[in-house]
Amino acid sequence: GVIIDVNNGEILALSSYPEYSSQVLSNGDQSKIINSLLLNKNKPFLNRVTSGLYTPGSTVKPFLAAGALQNKIIDPNKQIYSPGYISIPNRYFPDQPSIFKDWRANGWTDVRRALAVSSDVYFYAIGGGYADQKGLGIKEIERIMRMFGFGEKIGIDFATEVAGTIPSPEWKIKNFAEGKWLLGDTYHTSIVQYGTQVSPLQLARATAAIANGGTLYIPHIKMGEEKLPSTTIPISAENFKIIREGMKMAVDDGTAKGLQISGVSIGAKTGTAELGAKKEFVNAWIMGFFPYEKPRYAFVVVMEKGPHENTVGGLYVMRQVLEWMVVNTPEYLK
Protein backbone atom coordinates (compact mmCIF):
# COMPACT_ATOMS: atom_id res chain seq x y z
CA GLY A 1 0.00 0.00 0.00
CA VAL A 2 0.99 3.64 -0.51
CA ILE A 3 -0.28 7.12 0.37
CA ILE A 4 0.90 10.05 -1.76
CA ASP A 5 0.47 13.84 -1.67
CA VAL A 6 -1.62 14.73 -4.72
CA ASN A 7 -0.15 18.23 -4.99
CA ASN A 8 3.57 17.44 -5.20
CA GLY A 9 4.12 13.67 -5.32
CA GLU A 10 5.54 13.27 -1.81
CA ILE A 11 5.08 9.77 -0.39
CA LEU A 12 3.72 9.76 3.16
CA ALA A 13 3.59 6.01 3.66
CA LEU A 14 4.72 2.95 1.73
CA SER A 15 4.41 -0.64 2.87
CA SER A 16 5.25 -3.99 1.28
CA TYR A 17 4.60 -7.40 2.80
CA PRO A 18 6.21 -9.77 3.69
CA GLU A 19 8.73 -7.53 5.42
CA TYR A 20 12.29 -8.11 6.59
CA SER A 21 14.73 -6.40 8.95
CA SER A 22 17.55 -4.64 7.11
CA GLN A 23 19.50 -4.67 10.40
CA VAL A 24 19.62 -8.47 10.29
CA LEU A 25 21.24 -8.29 6.86
CA SER A 26 23.65 -5.56 7.95
CA ASN A 27 24.80 -7.54 10.99
CA GLY A 28 25.14 -10.73 8.93
CA ASP A 29 25.44 -13.00 11.96
CA GLN A 30 22.00 -14.65 11.89
CA SER A 31 22.53 -17.04 9.00
CA LYS A 32 19.34 -19.05 9.60
CA ILE A 33 17.14 -15.95 9.36
CA ILE A 34 19.02 -14.67 6.32
CA ASN A 35 18.74 -18.02 4.55
CA SER A 36 15.02 -18.22 5.31
CA LEU A 37 14.59 -14.78 3.71
CA LEU A 38 16.57 -15.80 0.64
CA LEU A 39 14.54 -18.99 0.23
CA ASN A 40 11.13 -17.46 1.01
CA LYS A 41 8.88 -18.09 -2.00
CA ASN A 42 6.90 -14.95 -1.17
CA LYS A 43 9.90 -12.77 -2.10
CA PRO A 44 10.31 -10.47 0.91
CA PHE A 45 13.01 -8.45 -0.89
CA LEU A 46 10.54 -7.41 -3.59
CA ASN A 47 9.16 -3.93 -3.02
CA ARG A 48 5.67 -4.69 -4.23
CA VAL A 49 4.65 -1.02 -4.39
CA THR A 50 7.32 -0.03 -6.91
CA SER A 51 8.28 -3.35 -8.51
CA GLY A 52 5.22 -5.57 -8.14
CA LEU A 53 3.06 -6.02 -11.22
CA TYR A 54 -0.63 -6.77 -10.85
CA THR A 55 -3.78 -6.90 -12.94
CA PRO A 56 -5.58 -3.80 -11.61
CA GLY A 57 -9.17 -4.84 -12.30
CA SER A 58 -11.81 -2.14 -12.10
CA THR A 59 -9.53 0.43 -10.46
CA VAL A 60 -8.64 1.54 -13.99
CA LYS A 61 -12.24 2.34 -14.96
CA PRO A 62 -12.02 5.99 -13.83
CA PHE A 63 -9.18 6.64 -16.28
CA LEU A 64 -11.03 5.08 -19.21
CA ALA A 65 -14.17 7.00 -18.26
CA ALA A 66 -12.22 10.27 -18.21
CA GLY A 67 -10.81 9.51 -21.67
CA ALA A 68 -14.23 8.60 -23.05
CA LEU A 69 -15.73 11.86 -21.76
CA GLN A 70 -12.87 13.91 -23.17
CA ASN A 71 -13.17 12.19 -26.57
CA LYS A 72 -16.94 12.78 -26.47
CA ILE A 73 -17.49 9.05 -26.92
CA ILE A 74 -20.31 9.38 -24.42
CA ASP A 75 -22.31 12.15 -22.79
CA PRO A 76 -21.99 12.15 -18.98
CA ASN A 77 -25.77 11.88 -18.61
CA LYS A 78 -26.35 9.09 -21.13
CA GLN A 79 -27.47 5.87 -19.49
CA ILE A 80 -26.56 2.34 -20.59
CA TYR A 81 -28.62 -0.62 -19.42
CA SER A 82 -26.97 -3.65 -17.85
CA PRO A 83 -29.15 -6.77 -17.57
CA GLY A 84 -26.04 -8.56 -16.32
CA TYR A 85 -24.37 -9.28 -19.67
CA ILE A 86 -23.99 -8.35 -23.32
CA SER A 87 -24.49 -10.80 -26.18
CA ILE A 88 -22.42 -10.63 -29.37
CA PRO A 89 -23.39 -12.62 -32.51
CA ASN A 90 -21.04 -15.45 -33.43
CA ARG A 91 -20.43 -15.46 -37.18
CA TYR A 92 -19.34 -19.09 -37.15
CA PHE A 93 -22.05 -20.44 -34.86
CA PRO A 94 -25.10 -18.15 -35.10
CA ASP A 95 -26.96 -20.14 -32.47
CA GLN A 96 -24.11 -19.69 -29.96
CA PRO A 97 -23.62 -15.96 -29.27
CA SER A 98 -20.62 -14.81 -27.26
CA ILE A 99 -21.65 -13.69 -23.78
CA PHE A 100 -19.69 -11.09 -21.80
CA LYS A 101 -20.90 -10.96 -18.21
CA ASP A 102 -21.31 -8.12 -15.77
CA TRP A 103 -20.64 -8.94 -12.12
CA ARG A 104 -24.36 -8.37 -11.52
CA ALA A 105 -27.34 -6.79 -13.29
CA ASN A 106 -26.65 -3.11 -12.64
CA GLY A 107 -29.63 -1.67 -14.55
CA TRP A 108 -29.44 1.82 -16.02
CA THR A 109 -26.18 3.66 -15.29
CA ASP A 110 -24.66 6.92 -16.46
CA VAL A 111 -20.92 7.45 -16.07
CA ARG A 112 -21.07 8.46 -12.40
CA ARG A 113 -23.30 5.57 -11.45
CA ALA A 114 -21.26 3.16 -13.58
CA LEU A 115 -18.17 4.07 -11.54
CA ALA A 116 -20.08 3.80 -8.28
CA VAL A 117 -21.42 0.30 -8.96
CA SER A 118 -18.55 -0.73 -11.28
CA SER A 119 -20.78 -1.73 -14.17
CA ASP A 120 -18.86 -3.94 -16.61
CA VAL A 121 -21.54 -3.58 -19.29
CA TYR A 122 -21.11 0.19 -19.28
CA PHE A 123 -17.37 -0.15 -19.85
CA TYR A 124 -17.77 -2.88 -22.48
CA ALA A 125 -19.92 -0.38 -24.36
CA ILE A 126 -17.66 2.68 -24.10
CA GLY A 127 -14.54 0.57 -24.64
CA GLY A 128 -15.44 -1.71 -27.52
CA GLY A 129 -18.81 -0.33 -28.60
CA TYR A 130 -22.19 -2.04 -28.27
CA ALA A 131 -25.59 -1.52 -29.90
CA ASP A 132 -25.87 2.23 -30.61
CA GLN A 133 -22.94 3.15 -28.36
CA LYS A 134 -19.63 3.89 -30.07
CA GLY A 135 -16.50 2.56 -28.35
CA LEU A 136 -13.04 3.98 -27.84
CA GLY A 137 -11.33 1.04 -29.53
CA ILE A 138 -8.13 -0.62 -28.38
CA LYS A 139 -5.74 1.96 -29.84
CA GLU A 140 -7.42 4.80 -27.97
CA ILE A 141 -7.66 2.73 -24.78
CA GLU A 142 -3.92 2.18 -24.97
CA ARG A 143 -3.29 5.89 -25.56
CA ILE A 144 -5.42 6.88 -22.56
CA MET A 145 -3.67 4.40 -20.29
CA ARG A 146 -0.25 5.67 -21.34
CA MET A 147 -1.43 9.26 -20.91
CA PHE A 148 -2.00 8.46 -17.22
CA GLY A 149 1.51 7.00 -16.93
CA PHE A 150 0.80 3.28 -17.21
CA GLY A 151 3.03 1.02 -19.29
CA GLU A 152 6.21 2.99 -18.61
CA LYS A 153 8.63 3.60 -15.76
CA ILE A 154 7.89 6.67 -13.64
CA GLY A 155 11.50 7.75 -13.09
CA ILE A 156 11.74 7.38 -9.30
CA ASP A 157 15.18 7.49 -7.66
CA PHE A 158 14.57 5.69 -4.37
CA ALA A 159 13.80 2.11 -5.52
CA THR A 160 13.78 -0.15 -8.53
CA GLU A 161 10.61 -0.03 -10.60
CA VAL A 162 8.90 -1.77 -13.50
CA ALA A 163 7.12 -0.47 -16.58
CA GLY A 164 4.12 -2.80 -16.64
CA THR A 165 2.05 -3.88 -19.62
CA ILE A 166 -0.72 -2.30 -21.67
CA PRO A 167 -2.28 -4.82 -24.11
CA SER A 168 -2.47 -3.97 -27.79
CA PRO A 169 -2.76 -5.84 -31.10
CA GLU A 170 1.04 -5.73 -31.43
CA TRP A 171 1.46 -7.11 -27.90
CA LYS A 172 -0.90 -10.00 -28.67
CA ILE A 173 0.92 -10.92 -31.88
CA LYS A 174 4.19 -10.99 -29.95
CA ASN A 175 2.91 -13.08 -27.05
CA PHE A 176 0.25 -15.44 -28.42
CA ALA A 177 0.16 -17.93 -31.29
CA GLU A 178 -3.41 -16.89 -32.17
CA GLY A 179 -2.26 -13.30 -32.61
CA LYS A 180 -5.29 -11.68 -34.26
CA TRP A 181 -6.91 -9.05 -32.06
CA LEU A 182 -10.62 -9.69 -31.52
CA LEU A 183 -13.50 -7.56 -30.30
CA GLY A 184 -13.67 -9.74 -27.20
CA ASP A 185 -10.09 -8.75 -26.38
CA THR A 186 -11.15 -5.10 -26.43
CA TYR A 187 -14.10 -5.87 -24.13
CA HIS A 188 -11.86 -7.67 -21.66
CA THR A 189 -9.31 -4.86 -21.79
CA SER A 190 -12.11 -2.35 -21.13
CA ILE A 191 -12.74 -3.94 -17.73
CA VAL A 192 -9.01 -4.60 -17.30
CA GLN A 193 -9.10 -8.37 -17.18
CA TYR A 194 -6.80 -9.00 -20.13
CA GLY A 195 -3.06 -8.43 -20.09
CA THR A 196 -2.89 -5.10 -18.25
CA GLN A 197 -0.32 -5.03 -15.46
CA VAL A 198 0.51 -2.05 -13.28
CA SER A 199 2.42 -1.32 -10.10
CA PRO A 200 0.62 0.10 -7.05
CA LEU A 201 2.79 3.24 -7.28
CA GLN A 202 1.74 3.82 -10.90
CA LEU A 203 -1.88 3.52 -9.86
CA ALA A 204 -1.41 5.88 -6.90
CA ARG A 205 0.26 8.45 -9.14
CA ALA A 206 -2.58 8.29 -11.67
CA THR A 207 -5.18 8.48 -8.88
CA ALA A 208 -3.46 11.61 -7.57
CA ALA A 209 -3.84 13.13 -11.05
CA ILE A 210 -7.61 12.56 -10.92
CA ALA A 211 -7.70 14.19 -7.49
CA ASN A 212 -5.62 17.25 -8.40
CA GLY A 213 -7.23 17.87 -11.79
CA GLY A 214 -4.72 16.36 -14.19
CA THR A 215 -1.09 16.72 -13.07
CA LEU A 216 1.19 13.66 -12.99
CA TYR A 217 4.00 14.15 -10.47
CA ILE A 218 7.08 11.99 -9.96
CA PRO A 219 6.67 10.36 -6.52
CA HIS A 220 9.52 11.00 -4.08
CA ILE A 221 10.35 10.42 -0.41
CA LYS A 222 12.87 13.19 0.38
CA MET A 223 11.32 15.86 2.58
CA GLY A 224 11.74 19.33 1.18
CA GLU A 225 12.90 18.08 -2.21
CA GLU A 226 12.34 20.69 -4.88
CA LYS A 227 9.42 19.97 -7.15
CA LEU A 228 10.32 17.42 -9.81
CA PRO A 229 9.15 17.61 -13.44
CA SER A 230 5.44 17.01 -13.94
CA THR A 231 3.12 16.23 -16.85
CA THR A 232 -0.27 17.77 -17.55
CA ILE A 233 -2.96 15.36 -18.75
CA PRO A 234 -5.11 16.90 -21.52
CA ILE A 235 -8.49 16.27 -19.91
CA SER A 236 -10.79 19.11 -18.86
CA ALA A 237 -11.39 20.15 -15.27
CA GLU A 238 -15.11 19.45 -15.72
CA ASN A 239 -14.47 15.86 -16.83
CA PHE A 240 -12.15 15.22 -13.89
CA LYS A 241 -14.84 16.63 -11.63
CA ILE A 242 -17.36 14.13 -13.04
CA ILE A 243 -14.97 11.26 -12.34
CA ARG A 244 -14.41 12.44 -8.76
CA GLU A 245 -18.19 12.64 -8.29
CA GLY A 246 -18.54 9.04 -9.46
CA MET A 247 -15.84 7.94 -7.01
CA LYS A 248 -17.62 9.79 -4.20
CA MET A 249 -20.85 7.96 -5.15
CA ALA A 250 -18.92 4.67 -4.86
CA VAL A 251 -18.29 5.49 -1.19
CA ASP A 252 -21.76 6.91 -0.54
CA ASP A 253 -23.74 4.03 -2.03
CA GLY A 254 -21.53 1.81 -4.19
CA THR A 255 -18.79 -0.79 -4.13
CA ALA A 256 -16.57 1.31 -1.81
CA LYS A 257 -19.28 1.89 0.80
CA GLY A 258 -17.01 0.31 3.42
CA LEU A 259 -15.00 3.55 3.44
CA GLN A 260 -17.85 5.58 4.92
CA ILE A 261 -15.98 6.85 7.98
CA SER A 262 -16.92 9.63 10.36
CA GLY A 263 -14.29 12.33 10.25
CA VAL A 264 -13.22 12.17 6.60
CA SER A 265 -14.87 12.44 3.19
CA ILE A 266 -13.47 10.08 0.55
CA GLY A 267 -13.69 9.32 -3.17
CA ALA A 268 -12.67 5.76 -4.08
CA LYS A 269 -12.84 2.88 -6.54
CA THR A 270 -12.59 -0.82 -5.80
CA GLY A 271 -11.08 -3.45 -8.07
CA THR A 272 -11.12 -7.25 -8.14
CA ALA A 273 -8.73 -9.04 -10.48
CA GLU A 274 -9.31 -12.76 -10.87
CA LEU A 275 -6.23 -15.01 -10.92
CA GLY A 276 -5.47 -18.52 -12.09
CA ALA A 277 -7.03 -20.76 -14.69
CA LYS A 278 -9.81 -21.66 -12.27
CA LYS A 279 -10.09 -18.07 -10.95
CA GLU A 280 -9.87 -19.31 -7.39
CA PHE A 281 -7.83 -16.29 -6.24
CA VAL A 282 -8.17 -12.52 -6.52
CA ASN A 283 -6.13 -9.38 -6.06
CA ALA A 284 -8.44 -7.12 -4.03
CA TRP A 285 -7.79 -3.41 -4.67
CA ILE A 286 -8.88 -0.05 -3.34
CA MET A 287 -7.74 3.31 -4.68
CA GLY A 288 -8.95 6.78 -3.88
CA PHE A 289 -8.30 10.21 -2.38
CA PHE A 290 -9.20 12.39 0.61
CA PRO A 291 -10.59 14.73 1.69
CA TYR A 292 -13.10 14.76 -1.15
CA GLU A 293 -13.89 18.49 -1.04
CA LYS A 294 -10.23 19.56 -1.35
CA PRO A 295 -8.07 16.53 -2.12
CA ARG A 296 -4.69 16.30 -0.40
CA TYR A 297 -3.75 12.62 -0.51
CA ALA A 298 -4.26 9.63 -2.79
CA PHE A 299 -4.00 6.02 -1.68
CA VAL A 300 -3.75 2.52 -3.13
CA VAL A 301 -3.89 -0.83 -1.34
CA VAL A 302 -3.81 -4.27 -2.94
CA MET A 303 -4.23 -7.51 -1.03
CA GLU A 304 -2.41 -10.04 -3.16
CA LYS A 305 -3.78 -13.45 -4.13
CA GLY A 306 -6.58 -13.74 -1.62
CA PRO A 307 -9.45 -16.23 -1.77
CA HIS A 308 -12.01 -15.59 -4.50
CA GLU A 309 -14.73 -15.07 -1.89
CA ASN A 310 -12.90 -12.10 -0.30
CA THR A 311 -13.18 -9.19 -2.74
CA VAL A 312 -12.90 -6.44 -0.09
CA GLY A 313 -9.46 -7.18 1.36
CA GLY A 314 -7.86 -3.96 0.18
CA LEU A 315 -10.84 -1.88 1.26
CA TYR A 316 -10.82 -3.49 4.72
CA VAL A 317 -7.15 -2.65 5.21
CA MET A 318 -7.57 0.97 4.08
CA ARG A 319 -10.56 1.42 6.36
CA GLN A 320 -8.40 0.40 9.33
CA VAL A 321 -5.70 2.88 8.26
CA LEU A 322 -8.21 5.72 7.96
CA GLU A 323 -9.89 4.88 11.28
CA TRP A 324 -6.46 5.04 12.92
CA MET A 325 -5.80 8.39 11.25
CA VAL A 326 -9.10 9.84 12.47
CA VAL A 327 -7.93 9.21 16.05
CA ASN A 328 -4.17 9.77 15.79
CA THR A 329 -3.49 12.10 12.84
CA PRO A 330 -6.73 14.00 12.11
CA GLU A 331 -4.76 16.94 10.68
CA TYR A 332 -4.16 14.91 7.51
CA LEU A 333 -7.88 14.43 6.93
CA LYS A 334 -8.95 18.09 6.79
Side-chain angles (χ1 to χ4, degrees):
V2 60
I3 301 176
I4 185 172
D5 190 315
V6 307
N7 295 310
N8 58 23
E10 290 180 355
I11 293 175
L12 276 73
L14 183 154
S15 180
S16 181
Y17 184 84
E19 301 171 303
Y20 66 94
S21 170
S22 58
Q23 190 63 51
V24 169
L25 300 179
S26 298
N27 293 339
D29 56 359
Q30 299 185 58
S31 58
K32 286 187 177 180
I33 295 178
I34 293 173
N35 285 334
S36 69
L37 291 171
L38 292 171
L39 297 174
N40 190 329
K41 65 179 182 179
N42 291 319
K43 300 180 181 180
F45 297 119
L46 174 66
N47 184 334
R48 285 161 160 77
V49 175
T50 65
S51 301
L53 284 177
Y54 303 93
T55 301
S58 294
T59 58
V60 174
K61 287 176 178 175
F63 311 110
L64 297 184
L69 290 172
Q70 189 67 26
N71 286 350
K72 300 188 185 303
I73 289 293
I74 194 163
D75 180 277
N77 297 313
K78 179 180 177 179
Q79 294 186 332
I80 294 174
Y81 183 71
S82 167
Y85 65 93
I86 61 173
S87 177
I88 305 299
N90 186 326
R91 71 176 69 178
Y92 303 106
F93 303 98
D95 60 332
Q96 300 177 30
S98 298
I99 303 298
F100 296 85
K101 294 183 178 180
D102 208 328
W103 70 279
R104 71 175 187 186
N106 281 297
W108 291 102
T109 63
D110 60 14
V111 65
R112 295 175 180 86
R113 186 65 182 167
L115 290 170
V117 301
S118 200
S119 171
D120 288 340
V121 164
Y122 186 94
F123 285 89
Y124 290 146
I126 68 168
Y130 184 68
D132 66 342
Q133 176 58 51
K134 180 182 177 182
L136 288 162
I138 190 57
K139 288 292 187 182
E140 187 60 17
I141 290 173
E142 180 185 8
R143 189 189 73 82
I144 292 167
M145 291 289 287
R146 294 190 183 279
M147 188 168 65
F148 277 95
F150 299 109
E152 60 185 34
K153 292 184 178 180
I154 296 171
I156 59 175
D157 62 0
F158 60 88
T160 57
E161 61 171 328
V162 288
T165 302
I166 306 300
S168 67
E170 294 76 18
W171 166 84
K172 187 177 182 182
I173 289 172
K174 183 178 179 180
N175 289 278
F176 296 93
E178 67 286 3
K180 183 180 179 182
W181 189 268
L182 304 173
L183 176 60
D185 299 328
T186 303
Y187 284 147
H188 286 140
T189 303
S190 300
I191 63 166
V192 203
Q193 282 288 166
Y194 181 71
T196 303
Q197 289 190 311
V198 308
S199 73
L201 188 61
Q202 287 176 332
L203 184 57
R205 181 192 187 210
T207 303
I210 285 178
N212 68 33
T215 302
L216 275 176
Y217 291 106
I218 297 177
H220 57 278
I221 59 175
K222 295 180 182 177
M223 181 178 290
E225 185 171 20
E226 63 180 77
K227 189 171 290 187
L228 298 170
S230 61
T231 302
T232 300
I233 298 171
I235 290 176
S236 72
E238 177 59 26
N239 286 334
F240 275 122
K241 179 175 179 288
I242 291 168
I243 301 306
R244 291 194 296 271
E245 289 170 350
M247 293 173 69
K248 180 63 164 60
M249 287 176 62
V251 176
D252 290 342
D253 188 30
T255 59
K257 195 172 182 179
L259 289 186
Q260 282 189 12
I261 299 170
S262 177
V264 60
S265 180
I266 301 166
K269 181 73 190 75
T270 55
T272 305
E274 296 176 322
L275 307 174
K278 297 181 180 179
K279 300 181 179 179
E280 65 268 42
F281 300 107
V282 296
N283 290 335
W285 292 86
I286 188 71
M287 56 84 99
F289 59 89
F290 63 88
Y292 172 76
E293 293 77 11
K294 191 175 182 180
R296 295 177 63 193
Y297 305 108
F299 60 85
V300 167
V301 174
V302 57
M303 291 293 284
E304 180 180 344
K305 202 177 181 181
H308 190 275
E309 295 74 22
N310 181 9
T311 60
V312 295
L315 185 152
Y316 176 72
V317 169
M318 194 63 209
R319 180 182 177 93
Q320 292 181 84
V321 172
L322 289 164
E323 288 178 334
W324 182 92
M325 293 178 71
V326 167
V327 175
N328 295 282
T329 58
E331 65 272 19
Y332 287 94
L333 306 179
K334 301 175 181 177

